[in-house]
Amino acid sequence: MIQTHGQQIPADPAGPGPGEHQAERERRPRAWREYGTLLMAIVGLTLSLSTFLATALR
């Protein structure tokens, strides 16, 4: 393999490449956004159910 002057090959091939940190950084907020949406849905359903039960039992 011929290496031109500006290229750098990482010494540890198992280590993260130059693009992997960016992909990992992009993947994490999407997962947190999905968990946040799920959490807000659970909180909203719990509040609406408790409000419904409070008015039904009054």
Side-chain angles (χ1 to χ4, degrees):
M1 179 190 221
I2 299 174
Q3 182 180 6
T4 60
H5 180 69
Q7 288 179 333
Q8 289 183 354
I9 297 176
D12 185 12
E20 292 183 28
H21 285 295
Q22 184 68 24
E24 186 176 328
R25 210 176 303 134
E26 289 176 358
R27 193 181 315 130
R28 193 169 294 138
R30 182 181 299 157
W32 281 112
R33 200 177 311 130
E34 290 173 1
Y35 285 126
T37 304
L38 180 64
L39 181 66
M40 291 303 290
I42 291 171
V43 168
L45 286 173
T46 304
L47 286 174
S48 61
L49 181 64
S50 62
T51 304
F52 172 74
L53 287 177
T55 55
L57 296 176
R58 195 184 315 171

